[in-house]
Amino acid sequence: MGLKKDLFSGVAVTAIAKYSGIVIGLVINAMLARLLSPREYGIVGVVVVFITFFNILSDIGLGSAIVQSQTLSQKDHSDLFKLSAIMSSILAIAFALFSYAVAYFYKNDVYIPIGQLLAIHVFFSSLSVVPKNIL
């Protein structure tokens, strides 16, 4: 009986966490659509696509490997974090440079400073993969 209750509780918490994130995202997008001009909202949409892509690249399975492996030592965690730091730096530089390609493709230089600023986000987001999954 206790296992069934724990299972139901876990499923409920996971569902609430997942769907509340979706609802919050919808509310934020609705507010942005009202506050920004169509041109500005289009810029945000383009940038969000590339940020999402780089965030997917930042994990490369490290998070799942850390969670599933129960035999990692402190040295292994340290080595994984070093690898993550190197990968974070490479991804951030790539994102900053990629902003030039996006600006050229869309013929709008506004993407360059936005991409360079968001490269900081890519760096820290990627850098946090190992510590979050260790917890």
Side-chain angles (χ1 to χ4, degrees), residues 113-133:
I114 292 172
Q116 291 172 344
L117 286 172
L118 287 175
I120 298 167
H121 164 76
V122 169
F123 175 76
F124 285 111
S125 175
S126 180
L127 192 63
S128 70
V129 168
V130 172
K132 279 194 304 189
N133 287 289

Side-chain angles (χ1 to χ4, degrees), residues 38-91:
R39 181 178 179 274
E40 292 167 337
Y41 189 72
I43 291 170
V44 170
V46 168
V47 170
V48 165
V49 167
F50 292 115
I51 281 286
T52 304
F53 177 71
F54 273 80
N55 281 338
I56 291 169
L57 282 179
S58 71
D59 188 6
I60 66 164
L62 277 179
S64 300
I66 291 169
V67 169
Q68 291 182 0
S69 178
Q70 298 173 353
T71 60
L72 292 176
S73 67
Q74 188 66 26
K75 183 181 180 332
D76 294 333
H77 289 161
S78 176
D79 291 343
L80 285 171
F81 185 74
K82 289 174 190 171
L83 174 67
S84 176
I86 292 168
M87 185 181 64
S88 299
S89 300
I90 291 169
L91 280 174

